[in-house]
Amino acid sequence: MHETSIASFLVEQASAAAEANGIRRVTKVTIRVGELSGVVQEALRFAWDIVTEATPCAGAALVIEDVPVTVRCPKEGTIKRLASPPRFRCPDCGEPTPELVTGRELELKSLEWDE
Amino acid sequence: MNSEAPVTQPRILEVRTQILKKNDELARAMRAEFRAKGVYVINVVSSPGAGKTELLTRVLRELRARGLRVAAVVGDLATENDADRLGASGAPARQIVTGTVCHLEADMVARSLEGLALDGWALGDLDVLFIENVGNLVCPASFDLGEECRWLLFPCTEGEDKPLKYPTLINTVDVVVLSKMDIAQAVGFARTTALENIASMRPGASVFETSAKTGAGVDALVDDLVRRRDAFRGASIASARA
Ligand SMILES: Nc1nc2c(ncn2[C@@H]2O[C@H](COP(=O)(O)OP(=O)(O)O)[C@@H](O)[C@H]2O)c(=O)[nH]1
Ligand SMILES: [Mg+2]
Ligand SMILES: [Zn+2]
């Protein structure tokens, strides 16, 4: 259950960004989570409600944007989306695809608040 | 709607930072220090009981026999047993007890290394450092520990389709070790299928087959480690000169 750790890192960063910008109460936090990030969204939401207590993010909605797994096919040079769960081969030509382009994201995208 | 009616406008602040930035930044600083001091660091991950401690104890012994200066830190939820087992190799070993945390984070390793230094083992006196992670096939994937190389152990006892079930972690590793191969036959391990599955999840990973009980395959794994470490040392020296 590393989602508790991830939620703690997230609330710390979001709260710091809020304070640096004079935001007293955050209403929404949007994050980008790659399909290969290993994060279980349910667990992250559960942890979020707990770790935000008594912070500027208390009560804020957590919006999670999924980022698909994409790779570069070394043969064609183009970017391909993989099925989930992924096999690291080009879905078109079968070539092994060691190079991951997206899918590992764990990113704080934005904060929202009401004036 | 009356355009003069008071409306509360939600305001948006674009942040765009890595959620694990704090861990990533510390890990980056640690990696820079390891490189500057020429210490080759390996993060060893697996499910609980896959044979990490047993294998590392042998590998530490073998590296010492080859004249390399080695140390290990080991993460477990509870107990100091594994540090004692690793220490039986003659190498300095320190335990990190994580309590409820199911993976190691960079700051835990940094603190453990401070302890190692207090025991008289400065980083600069080491050639190779192992970090045995907490047994877990998911959580360690996200946490950079400043390592140069990641080993993943799959014991033959856990079946040949295990690599397919943990895409997140396997896709971050450099070396896959099929462990406990002394009992592969007894458990009906389908070796070819396992190798195909590993290749489909991590194309290009080096694969080794070992038994920590008999020692079979350990030499080949250590040869690979020494080759990687020599290449690393060569690159560190070149960048220090540049
Ligand atoms: N047969 C066999 N058993 C092993 C081998 N390596 C480890 N074991 C056993 O597997 C169990 C777990 O090993 P351990 O090294 O503690 O695993 P860790 O949790 O990954 O550190 C112990 O009972 C070991 O004796 C091996 O190569 N062959
Ligand atoms: Mg162990
Ligand atoms: Zn292709």
Side-chain angles (χ1 to χ4, degrees), chain A residues 35-86:
Chain A
E35 270 176 34
L36 210 58
S37 67
V39 166
V40 177
Q41 299 196 359
E42 289 308 300
L44 187 62
R45 286 183 194 288
F46 179 76
W48 176 249
D49 290 339
I50 296 165
V51 299
T52 50
E53 264 176 40
T55 75
C57 297
L62 181 64
V63 177
I64 303 178
E65 294 181 1
D66 294 309
V67 184
V69 180
T70 60
V71 292
R72 188 182 303 280
C73 169
K75 216 162 164 182
E76 303 167 57
T78 49
I79 291 173
K80 312 272 176 162
R81 183 174 174 161
L82 298 185
S84 96

Side-chain angles (χ1 to χ4, degrees), chain B residues 190-228:
Chain B
R191 181 177 167 278
T192 313
T193 311
L195 294 175
E196 282 167 11
N197 289 343
I198 292 166
S200 83
M201 300 311 282
R202 185 57 165 163
S206 308
V207 184
F208 294 92
E209 299 169 41
T210 63
S211 164
K213 290 290 179 206
T214 67
V218 173
D219 261 339
L221 177 64
V222 171
D223 287 345
D224 176 77
L225 189 168
V226 169
R227 256 194 313 275
R228 286 171 191 272

Side-chain angles (χ1 to χ4, degrees), chain B:
Chain B
M1 199 170 113
N2 186 338
S3 62
E4 279 162 41
V7 281
T8 47
Q9 279 287 341
R11 306 297 178 91
I12 296 194
L13 175 70
E14 293 287 330
V15 186
R16 290 212 168 264
T17 52
Q18 300 302 314
I19 292 174
L20 298 180
K21 185 172 146 204
K22 206 168 146 196
N23 186 81
D24 292 346
E25 283 175 349
L26 177 58
R28 215 172 298 137
M30 288 162 65
R31 182 172 293 109
E33 187 183 1
F34 296 148
R35 285 184 181 167
K37 295 187 170 160
V39 193
Y40 190 70
V41 181
I42 303 169
N43 179 2
V44 184
V45 297
S46 78
S47 58
K52 295 182 296 303
T53 305
E54 203 77 9
L55 179 65
L56 289 185
T57 305
R58 269 208 185 252
V59 168
L60 288 167
R61 241 189 220 119
E62 177 60 26
L63 287 168
R64 279 166 57 82
R66 295 190 191 194
L68 288 158
R69 300 164 303 170
V70 293
V73 297
V74 48
D76 280 292
L77 297 170
T79 81
E80 306 257 334
N81 296 345
D82 280 9
D84 293 343
R85 287 167 63 201
L86 292 168
S89 68
R94 277 190 77 90
Q95 186 74 44
I96 304 171
V97 177
T98 61
T100 58
V101 183
C102 53
H103 56 269
L104 289 177
E105 297 180 8
D107 63 338
M108 303 176 189
V109 175
R111 275 198 303 275
S112 186
L113 293 179
E114 283 167 17
L116 205 62
L118 289 177
D119 290 349
W121 299 94
L123 269 183
D125 299 334
L126 297 176
D127 298 311
V128 178
L129 170 72
F130 286 96
I131 304 169
E132 181 185 326
N133 217 312
V134 180
N136 186 316
L137 283 175
V138 179
C139 310
S142 314
F143 294 89
D144 185 0
L145 304 180
E147 74 267 24
E148 208 62 47
C149 183
R150 217 176 257 198
W151 283 6
L152 168 63
L153 268 64
F154 274 129
C156 63
T157 48
E158 288 180 8
E160 42 292 327
D161 59 350
K162 202 98 190 203
L164 304 180
K165 294 177 182 163
Y166 297 91
T168 296
L169 185 61
I170 190 172
N171 198 257
T172 67
V173 306
D174 305 291
V175 171
V176 178
V177 179
L178 295 174
S179 61
K180 307 193 186 180
M181 287 300 282
D182 53 293
I183 49 176
Q185 212 161 12
V187 297
F189 181 61
R191 181 177 167 278
T192 313
T193 311
L195 294 175
E196 282 167 11
N197 289 343
I198 292 166
S200 83
M201 300 311 282
R202 185 57 165 163
S206 308
V207 184
F208 294 92
E209 299 169 41
T210 63
S211 164
K213 290 290 179 206
T214 67
V218 173
D219 261 339
L221 177 64
V222 171
D223 287 345
D224 176 77
L225 189 168
V226 169
R227 256 194 313 275
R228 286 171 191 272
R229 185 249 164 199
D230 288 346
F232 159 81
R233 194 41 89 81
S236 311
I237 292 168
S239 76
R241 283 208 189 110

